[in-house]
Amino acid sequence: MASSTLLVIDDDTIVRESIVAYLEDSGFNILQAENGEKGLAVYKETPPDLILCDLRMPKMDGLTVLRSVRELSPDTPFIVVSGAGVMADVVEALRLGASDYIIKPIVDLEVLEYAINRALENAQLILENRRYRESLEEAIHSLENNLHLLQEDQKAGRQVQMKMLPQEPLTFQNFKVDHQIIPSLYLSGDFVDYFALNEHSFAFYLADVSGHGASSAFVTVLLKHMSINLLREYQSHGGRVRVKPSHVLNFLNRSLLETGLGKHVAVFGGVVDTRDQKLTYAFGGHYPLPILSTPEETLCIEGRGLPVGLFEDATFEDVTIDLPEQFTLTILSDGILEVLPQQTLQEKEDYLLSVIKEGAVTVSALTDKLGLNTIKAAPDDVAMLILARN
């Protein structure tokens, strides 16, 4: 990984200088020392990203340097260089936490560079995993506190949950996203969110957590936390990485399984890019199918994908479609199927299509047409999210 700072410690001047010259040509920043004592002093003054150290040196050998470094930093990548006749020292170095070893004489310096890059990449993965675990522990701690609050007072908990939802519709150029959630209890297992990614794209999703009440609301807090972390990570890259809904669902799937909460989520998520006027979306066990309505036709958009947080080997697929000049995309949680009066699933789906085709293409209009405001005790949470243009 070019631009990383490396510390090269070797008492053999010729070997050390040849290694330093090669690595500098490869774009690394190099610190160097002629023995273990000086190397350890350089390390303490300017901690490098990786240490490359000879094992056999006068005054202080490489194993002593490694032990000292490990006391100060357990995770700094440390590659040992050893003669072929001292493999016992190599084994001891690996036991002490060395990342890799190189046998002298180093005939091919490209092999050395490959080992360095691999060690740096592994160190970066370890760092990212630690940060993720710390973030997850903080989230779980926060969730435990929130759950205690929810158990004490469901109404207060509902206020907390409502604050996590978008407080107003999103207007992005000539697009608009709006939502409505009608909980079966004070606390809902349904959740929606939408937000700008950069100046030319925005994301949205509707999630339906299995079950409802406090335990499901607990997971919606976790989903909100995860989406915030993903957005921050995306923005930390300057928005250069293209957001793929399938990648987000994969991340959520792994994260929910790791929590061990025993909850899964049906999700539909998408990203609109206004440069090419396209919508990229992915299904995570979501049903009923979202309904796309234009002046010419009203139909269900297709897709497939297993629920999120249920199967370790679940895979998710991105689908990209061109967006019409005028359209609405209506996404509903499966709670809507519980409150419709029709008898069969097909009749319920046909009724939803007809209602939207007849013009119920805003949150208020659809809520009124379906009579959702008059429901006193819904058997399941009902959530809707509507994306529209013009």
Side-chain angles (χ1 to χ4, degrees):
M1 300 170 68
S3 78
S4 297
T5 299
L6 314 181
L7 170 57
V8 179
I9 308 173
D10 199 315
D11 63 317
D12 189 325
T13 303
I14 295 176
V15 172
R16 186 179 71 252
E17 290 182 350
S18 65
I19 290 174
V20 168
Y22 178 85
L23 294 177
E24 285 180 336
D25 288 342
S26 297
F28 294 102
N29 302 314
I30 304 298
L31 305 171
Q32 56 179 305
E34 62 192 32
N35 58 55
E37 288 183 349
K38 291 184 178 180
L40 195 55
V42 171
Y43 170 80
K44 292 178 178 179
E45 181 178 346
T46 310
D49 298 308
L50 178 143
I51 299 173
L52 178 67
C53 183
D54 190 15
L55 281 180
R56 291 295 178 90
M57 297 181 294
K59 296 185 178 181
M60 181 184 289
D61 63 17
L63 289 177
T64 304
V65 176
L66 175 56
R67 290 189 185 96
S68 299
V69 168
R70 282 291 168 260
E71 290 178 359
L72 298 171
S73 173
D75 298 325
T76 298
F78 197 108
I79 297 177
V80 298
V81 181
S82 170
V86 288
M87 289 305 295
D89 287 348
V90 171
V91 172
E92 177 64 9
L94 293 175
R95 189 189 69 79
L96 291 171
S99 308
D100 206 344
Y101 69 92
I102 301 292
I103 299 297
K104 283 185 175 181
I106 305 175
V107 178
D108 188 352
L109 288 174
E110 288 186 1
V111 174
L112 172 61
E113 183 179 0
Y114 174 78
I116 289 172
N117 283 322
R118 182 174 60 186
L120 289 170
E121 289 170 0
N122 288 338
Q124 182 63 29
L125 287 174
I126 291 172
L127 178 61
E128 290 175 355
N129 286 337
R130 178 183 297 109
R131 287 174 176 170
Y132 173 73
R133 288 195 301 271
E134 291 172 352
S135 175
L136 189 59
E137 288 172 359
E138 291 177 2
I140 291 175
H141 179 67
S142 174
L143 292 173
E144 288 172 345
N145 292 336
N146 284 332
L147 182 58
H148 179 68
L149 174 63
L150 298 179
Q151 290 171 335
E152 287 184 346
D153 190 335
Q154 290 264 318
K155 289 184 178 180
R158 178 59 177 162
Q159 292 174 356
V160 171
Q161 192 181 29
M162 288 296 291
K163 288 180 180 179
M164 296 190 305
L165 291 164
Q167 298 303 299
E168 57 186 20
L170 170 68
T171 299
F172 193 98
Q173 297 180 21
N174 58 345
F175 292 89
K176 182 179 180 180
V177 190
D178 199 3
H179 78 281
Q180 170 80 328
I181 292 183
I182 301 170
S184 57
L185 303 170
Y186 286 118
L187 298 177
S188 171
D190 288 2
F191 193 74
V192 302
D193 205 359
Y194 37 83
F195 41 83
L197 293 171
N198 49 44
E199 62 184 12
H200 54 73
S201 63
F202 63 92
F204 62 90
Y205 67 86
L206 184 151
D208 180 359
V209 182
S210 57
H212 44 72
S215 61
S216 297
F218 183 88
V219 178
T220 66
V221 179
L222 184 57
L223 287 173
K224 178 68 173 183
H225 176 81
M226 290 177 179
S227 65
I228 290 173
N229 280 352
L230 285 172
L231 179 60
R232 287 175 177 170
E233 181 179 348
Y234 170 78
Q235 291 173 340
S236 71
H237 291 89
R240 295 186 299 273
V241 179
R242 194 177 185 94
V243 176
K244 292 187 176 182
S246 62
H247 291 179
V248 176
L249 295 189
N250 275 314
F251 170 77
L252 295 177
N253 189 63
R254 293 194 307 271
S255 300
L256 284 175
L257 287 170
E258 288 173 359
T259 65
L261 294 173
K263 287 285 186 178
H264 63 272
V265 186
V267 186
F268 177 85
V271 174
V272 172
D273 192 321
T274 59
R275 292 173 301 182
D276 51 17
Q277 304 298 312
K278 291 183 182 296
L279 165 66
T280 300
Y281 62 85
F283 279 86
H286 178 83
Y287 193 80
L289 297 176
I291 297 173
L292 179 68
S293 181
T294 70
E296 291 76 30
E297 61 181 347
T298 300
L299 49 81
C300 294
I301 64 172
E302 298 296 329
R304 61 181 182 178
L306 295 171
V308 173
L310 195 58
F311 303 102
E312 291 186 0
D313 58 349
T315 58
F316 308 96
E317 299 178 358
D318 288 314
V319 178
T320 299
I321 61 174
D322 294 317
L323 292 174
E325 285 298 320
Q326 183 177 345
F327 77 93
T328 60
L329 180 65
T330 302
I331 306 134
L332 297 159
S333 65
D334 63 2
I336 191 64
L337 302 175
E338 300 289 336
V339 300
L340 293 180
Q342 290 73 26
Q343 296 300 309
T344 68
L345 185 60
Q346 186 62 56
E347 288 173 341
K348 294 174 188 286
E349 293 175 342
D350 291 343
Y351 178 68
L352 287 174
L353 282 167
S354 66
V355 166
I356 293 172
K357 185 176 182 179
E358 290 169 4
V361 292
T362 66
V363 165
S364 60
L366 189 57
T367 300
D368 290 342
K369 184 66 177 179
L370 298 179
L372 299 181
N373 286 331
T374 63
I375 298 175
K376 294 182 179 180
D380 195 5
D381 308 316
V382 179
M384 68 175 69
L385 186 150
I386 298 180
L387 165 67
R389 178 160 70 169
N390 297 328

